[in-house]
Amino acid sequence: MTTFTLGFAPTRRFVFSKEDAFKYKELIKDTMHGFGLDIKIVDLEGINEEGLLYDRSEEKEIIERFRFEQVDALFFPHCNFGTEDLVAKIAKALGKPVLIWGPRDEAPLENGMRLRDTQCGIFATGKVLRRFNVPFSYITNSAVDSKVFERGFKNFIGAANVVKQFTDMRILQVSTRPSDFWSVICNEGELLEKFGIQIHPITLDELKKKTLSVEKEGGADLKEAVEYIKNSLDWTAVEESDVRRIASLKVAMKQYAAETGSAAIAIQCWSTLQDIIGIMPCLANAILTDEQIPVTCETDIHGAITSLMVQAATLNTVPTFFADITIRHPENPNGELLFHCGNFPVSLSTEDKPELKKHFLFEDHSPGTHEGEIKGGAMTIARFDGDHGEYSIFLGKAKGIEGPYSRGSYVWVEVNDWPLWEEKLVKGPYIHHSTGIHADVIPVIYEACQYIPGLTPDPVDPTEKEIQAWLRGSDINQ
């Protein structure tokens, strides 16, 4: 994954204290670095002595610097009132997600004078950004060291990373959908026209040839994949030749993803593949997903899009898992089973060495699935989908619970109101496929949607009002 780059353009206005503006610029910069995010920050140092945005003659130079550095988002902290027209012009020229905020002012001086008036400037900038038709995010006026600022900043960076990866998305499609799976039909032309999402199709025969070539030629990548499988899983139920072929398939898919510039893969995982190379791809899918190349089953393009969005919301630090929403819990009315044949990331397993087995559904029982329960805890369940030209993303929070044993890879979860979830999923535009992740990314994706025209957030828990209140920091004493 490429590094996320933030354009940092702290702004001031000439009628307020430039000394205090400079002081707060430094405080904000130190605070951002202290958040521990793996991002690159491009500032204005060297453009003028203060490293602040206020001189209209420097507009072109600032835009050129940010373009040269290929910034992915822009942050305009108002270190005093700020220069709202410059903020809007630069934001409009670059067309990236925009964050505005200002540190909360101290009380007026004894003589009644005020040094910064940051909140007042945010109001002005918000209006001018609207005039320029620039969508933007903002954080409630708050102290530099406040939880409100930290929460809002991190949420914005995650949202901007979702936008970055969504607007430059290419998915490797391995064969057509299985003939029985009408539910995963997608409109490739519409995805390209509406969102710029590209699909790169290849055939199962092409994948077979590359897999067998990798297996024959060997090499460091294949050796590493074989060692990973042997060290991470109990593979006593399959042959060593099966391990080598599964590893070869994993390497072949990763090579195709790199060659085509694809960030995710949607594969026809059954039933032709086991006929032509003798294995199921479930474990190979799992390993790639653990490596931040999510692979979705049954050639589910919309599922791959979901997985990339959810993964990006964590700055690509947490793996996703691609699941069927299958049956209700036998005892818990709000419980549900998330399951797939054996494709959940190995790192999520509750066992030290989950079992590598032969597939339990098909008569040939080809090897390639890894089975077992994955860890519970808090997680987000999401699904990007659409029909009739309208697209939305379902969002809900869940937590892992105890439940009966199931074959395949699985986890039982509890949600706030299962009948409400079921109604949303059945009435659509969603299906039985979902993406899970062990992180709360709902506010991140909600915020990202305002920068993706044509995509509507569809949260079930928390509600839209609850998300908005959380983003404002209404639950924090400010």
Side-chain angles (χ1 to χ4, degrees), residues 424-445:
K424 270 187 174 286
L425 293 168
V426 171
K427 289 191 172 183
Y430 312 109
I431 64 170
H432 60 296
H433 285 172
S434 66
T435 297
I437 194 166
H438 290 79
D440 180 8
V441 298
I442 295 173
V444 175
I445 294 176

Side-chain angles (χ1 to χ4, degrees), residues 251-269:
V251 173
M253 286 199 290
K254 189 169 185 177
Q255 287 180 359
Y256 262 125
E259 290 167 9
T260 62
S262 300
I265 302 170
I267 185 171
Q268 188 199 98
C269 50

Side-chain angles (χ1 to χ4, degrees), residues 22 176 211 225 238 259 374 382 442 446:
F22 181 86
T176 60
T211 299
V238 303
E259 290 167 9
I374 64 166
I442 295 173
Y446 177 86

Side-chain angles (χ1 to χ4, degrees), residues 219-232:
D221 290 342
L222 178 58
K223 180 182 178 182
E224 181 182 351
V226 169
E227 289 177 351
Y228 174 84
I229 293 171
K230 289 183 174 180
N231 293 333
S232 302

Side-chain angles (χ1 to χ4, degrees), residues 48-49 69 149 182 259 274 281 288 355 370 385 392 436 444:
N48 57 52
E49 292 182 356
E69 295 287 351
F149 174 53
W182 287 55
E259 290 167 9
Q274 62 263 38
L288 286 168
E355 295 179 286
H370 86 94
D385 222 320
S392 57
V444 175

Side-chain angles (χ1 to χ4, degrees), residues 394 416-425 460:
F394 174 93
N416 66 323
D417 182 351
W418 177 255
L420 176 60
W421 281 56
E422 184 175 297
E423 180 180 354
K424 270 187 174 286
L425 293 168
V460 61

Side-chain angles (χ1 to χ4, degrees), residues 110-244:
E110 289 185 4
N111 63 5
M113 297 299 292
R114 301 186 305 277
L115 295 175
R116 294 186 295 117
D117 275 20
T118 63
Q119 185 186 58
C120 192
I122 294 169
F123 295 145
T125 298
K127 179 63 174 180
V128 181
L129 286 169
R130 284 179 56 85
R131 292 286 193 198
F132 277 76
N133 296 309
V134 173
F136 64 93
S137 303
Y138 95 98
I139 304 170
T140 303
N141 184 233
S142 51
V144 177
D145 60 354
S146 68
K147 292 181 180 178
V148 175
F149 174 53
E150 181 176 2
R151 173 190 290 181
F153 183 82
K154 288 180 176 179
N155 197 82
F156 172 77
I157 296 298
N161 194 48
V162 172
V163 175
K164 172 186 178 178
Q165 296 189 34
F166 187 92
T167 53
D168 189 28
M169 189 181 291
R170 184 177 299 147
I171 295 167
L172 179 66
Q173 176 181 322
V174 183
S175 192
T176 60
R177 64 175 174 86
S179 58
D180 291 338
F181 272 66
W182 287 55
S183 55
V184 298
I185 290 173
C186 77
N187 188 326
E188 179 182 345
E190 195 168 76
L191 289 173
L192 180 61
E193 293 161 3
K194 186 179 283 287
F195 301 118
I197 295 173
Q198 300 176 33
I199 311 298
H200 187 102
I202 63 171
T203 65
L204 283 172
D205 189 57
E206 289 175 279
L207 182 59
K208 170 190 172 181
K209 289 177 180 177
K210 186 178 280 285
T211 299
L212 297 181
S213 174
V214 168
E215 183 179 79
K216 180 180 179 181
E217 295 174 6
D221 290 342
L222 178 58
K223 180 182 178 182
E224 181 182 351
V226 169
E227 289 177 351
Y228 174 84
I229 293 171
K230 289 183 174 180
N231 293 333
S232 302
L233 294 106
D234 176 358
W235 56 283
T236 54
V238 303
E239 303 298 323
E240 181 148 2
S241 60
D242 299 324
V243 172
R244 184 173 177 84

Side-chain angles (χ1 to χ4, degrees), residues 335-346:
E336 187 72 15
L337 177 65
L338 303 181
F339 152 92
H340 240 142
C341 305
N343 64 319
F344 292 2
V346 178

